[in-house]
Structures are given as C-alpha cells and as structure tokens.
C-alpha cells in the first residue's frame, strides 16, 4: 500500500499526522501538488510537483494509484475515480469514501455547485477541528493495520 495525498488543499495538521504514520508504519507517502510543499527528511515521504492547472494533481494521482493504495483527498470526483480503480479514499476529516457514499456525496456536491452558480450563498465547510483530526488519525490507523505485512 502506498499513500497518495492531494496536497494542494490538505491541511498541515493532517500532513503532520501522515508524516508520523509514514515513519511508524514504514509506508510510502507521496504528496502531489502544483506548489512546493514542506516535507520532512524521511525515506518514506516524497513530494511530486505537477504543473499548475485545473485537476492536474488529481489526474497525476489517478495515473499513479494502484489497487489498494490509499488516497487522502477532500475532492469527491477524485475519490470516486480512486474507488473505481480499486483504491481507498479518505478525506481529511476521517470520513472513508465507499462505493455507496461517494455517489451520494458527488450528487450533493453537484447540486451545491448548481446553487452557487445561480447566486445562492451556500457557505463553506466548517473549520477542521480536534475531533476531525482525531477521526482522521483513527481511521488512518485502522487502514494501516489492515494492510498485508
């Protein structure tokens, strides 16, 4: 299992959790972004910079992800594509995307985009809080524990 991170919008506290997990579990974590991202000196943490552009990082992750790899993303279309490839997708709030819930979330996302496009202020997501960080760390630990040795 490799971990791929949609790093352009991934919160720093989540990256820190991933960096610690990479060392502890000895699993490769690759951050993919179109801007430089700070990473610790580690044999398990890598950074892959892609050109600027809409969905360029997402497309690169999809090219590289293999079945059973884990992708960290809040991007629902990317999560759906990862699941279609046999991968696992987890958002920074600790919510595991599944074949069942990703389609629902994609439909809701598209509906909210339509509302925003017609001028309705839908607000944004709540700030990432301590419960979200803990939920992410717990779910990550469960996923890492399930991987083959």
């Amino acid at each position: 299992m490799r971990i791929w991170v949609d790093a352009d919008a991934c919160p720093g506290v989540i990256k820190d959790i991933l960096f610690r997990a990479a060392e502890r579990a000895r699993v490769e974590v690759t951050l993919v972004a179109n801007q430089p991202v700070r990473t610790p000196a580690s044999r398990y943490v890598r950074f892959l910079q892609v050109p600027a552009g809409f969905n360029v990082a997402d497309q690169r992750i999809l090219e590289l992800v293999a079945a059973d790899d884990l992708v960290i993303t809040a991007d629902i279309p990317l999560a759906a594509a990862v699941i279609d490839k046999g991968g696992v997708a987890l958002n920074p709030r600790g919510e595991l995307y599944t074949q069942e819930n990703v389609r629902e979330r994609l439909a809701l996302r598209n509906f909210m985009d339509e509302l925003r496009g017609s001028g309705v202020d839908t607000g944004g997501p709540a700030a990432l809080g301590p419960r979200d960080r803990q939920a992410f760390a717990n779910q990550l630990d469960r996923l890492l524990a399930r991987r083959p040795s």
Side-chain angles (χ1 to χ4, degrees), residues 11 37 52 59-60 64 98 105 123 140:
V37 174
Q59 291 305 313
R60 188 69 178 133
L64 297 170
T98 65
R105 292 200 173 120
L140 179 63

Side-chain angles (χ1 to χ4, degrees), residues 63-132:
E63 290 168 9
L64 297 170
V65 73
D68 297 323
D69 281 357
L70 172 61
V71 174
I72 309 302
T73 185
D75 186 287
I76 298 167
L78 174 57
V82 166
I83 290 169
D84 287 345
K85 283 191 78 172
V88 178
L90 176 65
N91 84 14
R93 295 179 184 276
E95 296 172 86
L96 188 64
Y97 295 104
T98 65
Q99 196 70 41
E100 295 77 34
N101 72 19
V102 77
R103 301 292 170 220
E104 257 177 50
R105 292 200 173 120
L106 197 50
L108 180 59
R109 173 197 171 272
N110 292 341
F111 175 70
M112 297 302 275
D113 278 350
E114 286 179 32
L115 285 177
R116 284 187 290 275
S118 65
V120 175
D121 181 11
T122 60
L128 193 75
R131 283 188 177 159
D132 299 313

